[in-house]
Amino acid sequence: MNDVLPAAIGAWQFLEDTMRELLSSYGYEEIRVPIVEQTALFKRAIGEFTDVVEKEMYTFTDQGGESLTLRPEATAGIMRAAISNGMLRGARHKLWCVGPMFRHEKPQKGRYRQFYQVDVEAVGFPGPDVDGELIALTARLWRKLGIERVRLQINSLGTPEARRAYRERLLGYLRGHESRLDADSRRRLEGNPLRILDSKNAEMQEVIAGAPLLTDHLDSESREHFETLCSMLRDVGVEYQINPRLVRGLDYYTRTVFEWTTDALGAQDAVCSGGRYDGLISQLGGESTPGVGFAMGVERAVELIALAQKTPPPAVADVYVVVNGARAASAGVGLVERLREELPHRRFELNLGGGNFKTQFRRADRSGAALALIVGDDELARGVAAMKPLRLETGQSECPLNGLAAGVEAALEAMMGVAGK
Ligand code: HAM
């Protein structure tokens, strides 16, 4: 689990701000759901035979004897919220949330036990138009974030019926190669053989490569859905690669699945993944409603932003207020509060905790401020404050206290003019 330190927070905020603005421009509304849910919710939604449910959940029994789990993902909780708040009833919703998820995975670069996701869900739209729009949204996001090294893979998992028929074929094939399956895969043979195709075990890749493909056994409606989606993506100029082995690690998917991967982060290459889950809501006890969505791994996206060097410079003060003398020190707080009131778009840092002139100027320099405002007992007695540019060679000047805000603003603007020339 990671601490996100102030030095890294700029990239996080850039990502969150960009995401918030973009999602709102596509009509998505923010929703906030609990971090803890009943364990049974995740078992039902994600599937008993998935890595997430079998091995990775942080589950505990509370004082009331109830089994609860820290959310490993957000889709299940959002759908639970939509059902329990009566949001469905034929209505359509475009929802998003951001927050921490928890999976007890083996930590490595880009893979953490607490990680953040921006999760986006469109509920009540049968698609494929909404599938296409969601993917176009993600492509636009990369452009806005300046991220280039990502590629899109898509696939269709068909309807549950088509998948059941395919499952039988796959089982036949895998049973024929049972001796070459690893322990995990043998265990999954009965519960969820499709998951075997997701195995990262290098020794299994040959068996997997020979397996029949779900794409060759799709029902006609799913095929049409998928072909329409592909033509929409071509239409909006989003490049994609069809990966017939993309099955995803969660069981609720039907039809469209997709994943944006990168070659820039090592083994943990999925930056943003999702798909359609038309059966999930009814499976959780709600009225049958289609859904589609995705989640982006924030730590991985932040890493890509850093690599693309798009991180904005850290926030710094515009004005550092140096105080000199006992009277000035006690007047400082009030004086700067009034400036903040009058110049709300400017950042002021008041010297706190005393210190001689030299110390205060060193702090002023470190704050990144463009201007030092010097308030001393002498100046106060004369009804003025002194101003000294910190990044330019222009000299010190004075400004009357009764026009201080206007004077500070004029000085900052003049400096920006000089710096820009
Ligand atoms: P997921 O593929 O399990 O899907 O996770 C989505 C993204 O979260 C991944 O692509 C990755 O970027 C990030 N991620 C997953 N695990 C970790 C980890 N341990 N450390 C860091 N980042 C991680 C879901 O969670 C689905 N709920 C997505 C979805 C929404 N499908 C439909 N709607």
Side-chain angles (χ1 to χ4, degrees):
M1 297 187 186
N2 283 328
D3 300 310
V4 181
L5 301 179
I9 213 74
W12 282 71
Q13 290 176 344
F14 171 55
L15 174 74
E16 286 165 7
D17 293 349
T18 308
M19 199 78 203
R20 184 166 274 126
E21 198 180 301
L22 182 70
L23 286 165
S24 142
S25 77
Y26 276 76
Y28 283 82
E29 296 176 297
E30 187 174 355
I31 181 169
R32 299 187 186 189
V33 293
I35 284 172
V36 177
E37 297 274 0
Q38 288 174 335
T39 306
L41 171 72
F42 299 117
K43 288 191 175 169
R44 277 168 82 180
I46 298 170
E48 298 260 8
F49 293 97
T50 56
D51 276 351
V52 172
V53 168
E54 276 184 340
K55 306 182 194 161
E56 297 169 2
M57 295 207 299
Y58 282 89
T59 296
F60 62 97
T61 306
D62 76 359
Q63 287 85 339
E66 198 169 3
S67 179
L68 300 178
T69 293
L70 298 186
R71 63 180 182 196
E73 59 103 57
T75 313
I78 294 177
M79 296 313 130
R80 195 268 316 132
I83 297 168
S84 59
N85 291 288
M87 289 168 68
L88 299 171
R89 305 198 181 111
R92 310 185 313 170
H93 295 280
K94 287 168 141 185
L95 305 167
W96 73 275
C97 80
V98 58
M101 310 293 153
F102 302 85
R103 296 185 192 176
H104 194 271
E105 293 190 82
K106 208 165 166 201
Q108 62 178 93
K109 185 174 156 39
R111 187 166 71 192
Y112 309 107
R113 290 181 170 172
Q114 173 178 317
F115 59 97
Y116 279 71
Q117 281 184 347
V118 172
D119 185 273
V120 180
E121 312 288 355
V123 180
F125 304 86
D129 48 3
V130 67
D131 308 28
E133 191 189 68
L134 263 180
I135 293 177
L137 183 158
T138 53
R140 187 178 300 283
L141 177 68
W142 308 135
R143 290 199 293 279
K144 282 187 174 280
L145 295 175
I147 292 176
E148 283 171 355
R149 288 170 68 176
V150 283
R151 283 178 357 150
L152 173 65
Q153 297 184 15
I154 56 173
N155 190 22
S156 176
L157 300 182
T159 59
E161 298 74 47
R163 214 157 54 241
R164 260 194 295 280
Y166 166 73
R167 184 181 182 277
E168 291 312 309
R169 274 173 176 272
L170 181 64
L171 257 180
Y173 169 83
L174 292 171
R175 284 211 183 98
H177 296 81
E178 200 163 341
S179 58
R180 293 167 68 193
L181 301 183
D182 61 15
D184 254 2
S185 302
R186 250 178 253 160
R187 198 166 35 82
R188 286 198 170 141
L189 211 47
E190 295 314 317
N192 192 348
L194 258 77
R195 187 80 322 109
I196 297 175
L197 301 180
D198 211 21
S199 167
K200 303 282 183 280
N201 183 346
E203 284 162 26
M204 295 271 303
Q205 297 312 309
E206 205 179 312
V207 179
I208 291 172
L213 293 178
L214 175 54
T215 3
D216 295 336
H217 300 89
L218 282 186
D219 54 289
S220 59
E221 274 182 37
S222 295
R223 185 179 305 283
E224 205 182 309
H225 187 113
F226 191 56
E227 280 166 7
T228 313
L229 170 64
C230 291
S231 92
M232 286 170 181
L233 293 179
R234 287 194 296 274
D235 195 36
V236 292
V238 175
E239 279 180 37
Y240 60 86
Q241 191 186 26
I242 297 175
N243 176 0
R245 301 198 187 282
L246 181 65
V247 291
R248 307 275 298 116
L250 314 163
D251 276 357
Y252 48 62
Y253 292 110
T254 52
R255 294 194 171 153
T256 311
V257 287
F258 65 94
E259 196 152 273
W260 287 94
T261 56
T262 177
D263 62 0
L265 299 181
Q268 299 308 312
D269 61 354
V271 189
C272 172
S273 1
R276 181 160 278 284
Y277 47 86
D278 292 343
L280 176 60
I281 293 173
S282 57
Q283 201 178 309
L284 296 178
E287 64 193 81
S288 177
T289 312
V292 59
F294 68 82
M296 181 185 59
V298 175
E299 287 80 358
R300 295 181 192 176
V302 161
E303 189 78 10
L304 289 177
I305 292 172
L307 286 174
Q309 296 188 318
K310 276 285 276 191
T311 313
V316 291
D318 293 309
V319 181
Y320 193 95
V321 183
V322 170
V323 284
N324 188 25
R327 222 186 114 212
S330 76
V333 172
L335 186 135
V336 178
E337 282 303 305
R338 283 188 290 283
L339 284 173
R340 290 189 174 115
E341 198 69 27
E342 289 186 65
L343 302 175
H345 58 295
R346 295 295 186 188
R347 279 174 300 214
F348 292 90
E349 194 171 333
L350 169 64
N351 184 76
L352 299 171
N356 62 27
F357 233 51
K358 201 171 151 207
T359 310
Q360 294 196 42
F361 268 97
R362 205 180 318 119
R363 290 177 189 148
D365 196 44
R366 251 189 267 132
S367 78
L371 185 73
L373 185 66
I374 304 153
V375 184
D377 286 354
D378 281 359
E379 283 87 359
L380 283 183
R382 288 191 288 120
V384 297
M387 296 189 294
K388 183 171 167 36
L390 291 167
R391 317 282 152 199
L392 296 171
E393 292 305 317
T394 48
Q396 193 166 316
S397 59
E398 283 190 350
C399 175
L401 289 177
N402 59 11
L404 192 55
V408 166
E409 183 62 28
L412 286 171
E413 279 172 18
M415 274 186 303
M416 277 162 60
V418 174
K421 276 186 189 139

